[in-house]
Amino acid sequence: MKLTVWTYEGPPHVGAMRVATAMKGLHYVLHAPQGDTYADLLFTMIERRNHRPPVSYTTFQARDLGEDTANLFKTALHDAFDRFKPQAMIVGSSCTAELIQDDPEGMAATMDLGIPVIPLELPSYQRKENFGSDETFYQIVKAIARPMERTAHVSANLIGPVGLGFRHRDDITEVTALLEEMGIAVNVVAPMGATPADIARMGAAHFNVLMYPEHAETAARWMEKNLGQPFTKTVPIGVGATRDFIAEVARIAGVEPKADDARLRMPWYSQSVDSTYLTGKRVFLFGDATHVKAMARVARDEMGFEVVGLGCYNREFARDIRKLASEFGVEALISDDYLEVEKAIEDLAPEMILGTQMERHIGKRLGIPCAVISAPVHVQDFPARYSPQMGWEGANVIFDTLVHPLVMGLEEHLLHMFREDFEFHDEAGASHHGGAAKARAVEAEPETDQEAAAGAAPAEGEIVWLSAAEKELKKIPFFVRGKAKRNTEKFALEKGVHEISVETLYEAKAHYAR
Amino acid sequence: MTGFTPAPPAAGCRNAPVLKERGQREVFCGLTGIIWLHRKMQDAFFLVVGSRTCAHLLQSAAGVMIFAEPRFGTAILEEKDLAGLADANAELDREVDRLLARRPDIKQLFLVGSCPSEVIKLDLHRAAERLTERHAPHVRVMNYSGSGIETTFTEGEDACLATMVPTLPATDERQLLMVGALPDVVEDQALSLLAEMGVAPVRCLPAHRAAEAPGVGAHTVVALTQPFLNETAAGLERRGARILPAPFPFGEEGTTAWLWAVAQEFGVSPETFAKVTDAPRARARKAIAAAAETLGGKSIFFFPDSQLEIPLARFLTRECGMTAVEVGAPFINKQIVGPDLDLLAEGPVIAEGQDVDLQLDRCRAARPDLTVCGLGLANPLESEGMTTKWAIELVFTPVHFYEQAGDLAGLFARPLRRRAILAGLEGAA
């Protein structure tokens, strides 16, 4: 058993639902107890879908357990087939049904419905949501896609976008435009928007664009082997990655790497003098591996931030992320335990967090600005406006997103210079954000060092801040104060100093000067 | 004014045939009760023993709550727990020890059963006894089931309160016990009305803290504030308490009838009763009238969700002028909602249980003006041009007693008003 308050990923059958809900003409029959229908509202509320997910649940109850739950499943399968007339079906168990071992897979195989019925083996007690979507999509492709003649004109499939995907809707539009500029047509987008009949046409494409490795890498590999389709390895998030992606596509498709980047404003925004203050801002990244990988590059090479830590919650990509971390010279954090993530953030004291919905709350608790770059996300990250992460417009969106949470340049300077202002002080937060301005609390007269010394004697190896130094520390703007405090203490320990004076503070500052 | 009991309709729904359906049910499991129970009970922690699905449900339902150091968590079963490689009891003890070490403020710990823990027959009842001994006297460990196979949505609260009943101290005191987790502001209003009438002492279940737990005994009279407390009521009866039959305190009429039932039991004179209730009754009627302008003459259809459906249908038809087409509830206990059924004029289909696709067919055929349903159905029905009121809000909003009567009617009027305001807006996704 493992105590969990927050889980970055749901169970694997939620991943299967994300594939089913993304598609059309496909129905999912899920053997599950009453109550598991809560997952419907992920789609109807968070993603605001205007239809019920194409999922029938058997919703067995305790009284059914003594009876024939297997029969319940068969009935549900028949009813769903009669009512919804899908082109294909997927069947499987949720975590509880996995325990009662009714074998929906086997049962579906014995029922001849005249359409493909694809069984899913999703081990709920070992794997999680992203595995579920990747495996489900792979099984569907394997069951339906076949080798066929290529389209006369060069074309590609876009694979990976699913229901509840972070910005998947708009990324499709953006990547489609990038390909069109090179004269490449989109054959099939899948799972998002595809029918089983479209899956059957996937073999006609010349190659695959793997948009989200988390959801479609297994299918991409299978198609490479069985349909002879190479797939792209670069995910076009950020300016550099988009250029690399275009070059890679051109190489695979044998076309000119054309790019119409007239709409791209991000490089100039980042180069303009107003952005100078962003240089060296210390950021911590966490999320799914694909977005963390892409955003780490954006943060360092395109925004000029310093990446002080990064990690991902999906173990399937642990090796990639470890490699990336070593390139950045930082420690990789591979964990799905949010308390560990919180601790890492606390220890590193970054000036900004790029993470998930979860890190947004950690940031709120610790008073660190945060921008969301990866699922899991909440309803506000399924926006009405066009807001891709990929391609040229994606880069524009990312610039705005990453700058917004930070205090603006001039405000930062003034906070640094005049910290005695009663309403314009660092605890008040950035002026362009909501929230009532808090008047500064009047500080109590600090005790003298003598009084402080008269207090509890410091334990062996403990460090004491003299009150003058503590006061001086407070003059450092809040977003770098945590780091300054840690650096000074580290410096004092190395030097064998137990009392930190103003002197020590400035010696440490000089020592760590960048 | 003939007493304070509303005159029933010519024929009520108590003996109306009930349409009983089985099939796919689009409802929450009882684990969701934790979302409001953990706010109500200040020194309790709810530890679900379940799977990742349970944890995922809780965080999806709890939304932002999850980050406020909530007093709930999930002990997620792993492969080794199922394969019998790990001693589930030893695993559980270890997790509980760790939890209690981190949270010394916890006085009551609930081990909450889930579908997986029940299917593998993990004996949480014995675990709770064992852990109580281990952590006595500091923490009492209890157990109840919030699983989907056993409970629907609000039945989680019922199961939780019912498991506390045997642990309550015995008392011979003549007292009123108000049962059901109400928002603090609502509870305070009810207590103050009862105090003004001279009804005393009044105790509440659940209490805010373990130390304030009420006693129970042969001279305890119970007033239920929620219709879904079937097990809890039965448990209290076994302890010798008597349940007062009354409509539930929704709206002006419902609140008056509920209070009058208590007043009669405690010998409050009609004059005193009128003196205490006249002003709030007038206020409530005035507040309801504002929303009733929108609701009057409109039809309403209830999908099953929380067991609040029958009392709410009674309120909306009698006090807001609506017509009920179908009133679906996950479970109907006539002993408890009987007084509400008596006041609900015959006409609507009374349905228990669900086959969601068939019920949707009926709803689409009826095209009601307002459909009360869960979040899984609300947006899909809206996109078909139906107006919905999502049902979960009724459990997460102060809706009981006089001062909330207008708010309660407003909850139903708001979606209709919104549709009217946006009528000119073209172009849907």
Side-chain angles (χ1 to χ4, degrees), chain A residues 279-349:
Chain A
T279 313
K281 284 244 176 249
R282 307 170 64 262
V283 298
F284 178 87
L285 295 101
F286 197 81
D288 71 31
T290 295
H291 285 90
V292 165
K293 216 187 299 187
M295 293 305 279
R297 179 176 173 182
V298 171
R300 184 184 61 185
D301 303 345
E302 299 172 15
M303 300 294 288
F305 294 152
E306 184 196 348
V307 173
V308 294
L310 57 84
C312 75
Y313 56 76
N314 45 342
R315 282 172 199 286
E316 289 87 351
F317 293 78
R319 192 178 303 169
D320 288 13
I321 291 295
R322 287 211 175 89
K323 189 162 149 273
L324 180 78
S326 72
E327 283 168 26
F328 277 73
V330 296
E331 194 83 23
L333 174 65
I334 313 294
S335 172
D336 61 354
D337 182 341
Y338 103 95
L339 294 173
E340 268 183 58
V341 179
E342 184 171 62
K343 192 173 174 327
I345 291 173
E346 233 164 335
D347 290 347
L348 289 164

Side-chain angles (χ1 to χ4, degrees), chain A residues 9-26:
Chain A
E9 293 183 72
H13 71 258
V14 170
M17 281 183 74
R18 291 173 64 179
V19 171
T21 307
M23 289 180 66
K24 295 185 169 78
L26 177 91

